[in-house]
Amino acid sequence: MRKQIAAANWKMNLTIQQGEQLLNDIISKPHELAAHQLAVFAVPFPYLQMAAQKLAGKTNVFVAAQNCSNKKNGAYTGETSVEILQSVGIQYVVLGHSERREYYNESNQFLAEKLDICLANNMKPIFCCGEPFAIREANTQNEFVAKQLDESLFHLTATQLQEVVIAYEPIWAIGTGKTASSAQAQEIHAFIRSHIAATYGVEIAETISILYGGSVKASNAVELFSQTDVDGGLVGGASLIADEFVAIINALS
Ligand code: PEP
């Protein structure tokens, strides 16, 4: 059975005190995670250790970094390696968020390097892809997303690919309040899975979790997550509100 995941992306929000309070509020509320369901919290770097310690021992709950270096270690001022993340108990990292692609010029090739270093060191990537509005308007989103997958992921072995969680996030839906309809989400998630199947085979493609991201909230999560090829969500704004994120965790079907 594929993993279903509710992943919170705090981005550059909250102080550490507010973040700790938010985690306290979330874990104190009733939430249910079946054996194949995970909650992941992608928090700012300085909060990773606090979050990892607070959530240690909670079954199927993990902390993620929002980025990592493409280098192993050394003279790269300001960068954070996979090894450093692991030394504070981190097992997941978000890679290729559209904000990093846009504001920090992260290319598909550069992300391939980050994926390689993660996978060589047992760090699980949550790899983001998704098209801008102009591409959706031109109805070329499948080609756009296929290129992102081809150039960043498709050099991986099947075993490596199975460690990757894919997050499809249409850029026009991130932080805008506009959500892809559940039919739009299902259509492109099915395309992503078929594109993986064309290279790696159906059996492998069926094991890959594909999350939807873009204005997911408590009120639309059940509908989105009930789609056959939607295996949960990567959630920005709504993950900063305890009641909202707990409802999103509980919407994993
Ligand atoms: C995100 O940060 O990846 C995201 C999808 O944000 P939001 O839920 O606020 O649209």
Side-chain angles (χ1 to χ4, degrees), residues 61-116:
V61 180
F62 298 93
V63 178
Q66 297 176 15
N67 184 25
C68 73
S69 176
N70 62 327
K71 304 289 185 197
K72 189 165 166 34
N73 57 18
Y76 299 101
T77 303
E79 289 293 288
T80 304
S81 68
V82 166
E83 187 182 26
I84 290 171
L85 294 175
Q86 287 172 328
S87 73
V88 293
I90 304 309
Q91 296 169 50
Y92 283 84
V93 62
V94 177
L95 292 180
H97 192 283
S98 60
E99 289 151 13
R100 294 211 59 84
R101 290 174 185 267
E102 183 178 349
Y103 306 137
Y104 304 99
N105 299 319
E106 295 197 355
S107 66
N108 293 338
Q109 288 73 17
F110 184 56
L111 291 167
E113 291 178 21
K114 293 191 180 197
L115 282 149
D116 286 344

Side-chain angles (χ1 to χ4, degrees), residues 9 11 97 99 128 169 173-177 213-216 234-238:
N9 178 14
K11 310 192 190 195
H97 192 283
E99 289 151 13
C128 304
E169 300 204 302
I174 298 178
T176 59
S215 299
V216 174
L234 178 57
V235 186

Side-chain angles (χ1 to χ4, degrees), residues 33-203:
L33 288 168
H36 65 291
Q37 296 175 338
L38 313 181
V40 179
F41 294 87
V43 308
F45 283 112
Y47 315 169
L48 287 169
Q49 194 165 15
M50 173 282 288
Q53 285 170 356
K54 182 166 288 295
L55 301 174
K58 301 248 171 283
T59 309
N60 290 357
V61 180
F62 298 93
V63 178
Q66 297 176 15
N67 184 25
C68 73
S69 176
N70 62 327
K71 304 289 185 197
K72 189 165 166 34
N73 57 18
Y76 299 101
T77 303
E79 289 293 288
T80 304
S81 68
V82 166
E83 187 182 26
I84 290 171
L85 294 175
Q86 287 172 328
S87 73
V88 293
I90 304 309
Q91 296 169 50
Y92 283 84
V93 62
V94 177
L95 292 180
H97 192 283
S98 60
E99 289 151 13
R100 294 211 59 84
R101 290 174 185 267
E102 183 178 349
Y103 306 137
Y104 304 99
N105 299 319
E106 295 197 355
S107 66
N108 293 338
Q109 288 73 17
F110 184 56
L111 291 167
E113 291 178 21
K114 293 191 180 197
L115 282 149
D116 286 344
I117 202 144
C118 285
L119 294 166
N121 294 283
N122 299 317
M123 175 66 80
K124 293 184 196 307
I126 300 175
F127 174 78
C128 304
C129 57
E131 79 286 353
F133 188 59
I135 295 287
R136 174 63 65 162
E137 273 191 318
N139 199 26
T140 53
Q141 62 274 7
N142 288 2
E143 292 81 352
F144 186 92
V145 169
K147 189 170 189 302
Q148 291 179 319
L149 301 178
D150 293 350
E151 294 184 355
S152 294
L153 291 185
F154 280 17
H155 64 290
L156 301 175
T157 65
T159 310
Q160 287 177 318
L161 187 74
Q162 286 180 293
E163 296 300 310
V164 178
V165 173
I166 295 176
Y168 166 70
E169 300 204 302
I171 298 170
W172 47 272
I174 298 178
T176 59
K178 280 187 206 151
T179 315
S181 68
S182 53
Q184 283 174 318
Q186 169 55 27
E187 191 181 24
I188 192 153
H189 281 228
F191 167 74
I192 291 170
R193 203 176 299 290
S194 71
H195 190 64
I196 295 169
T199 298
Y200 291 92
V202 174
E203 221 172 288

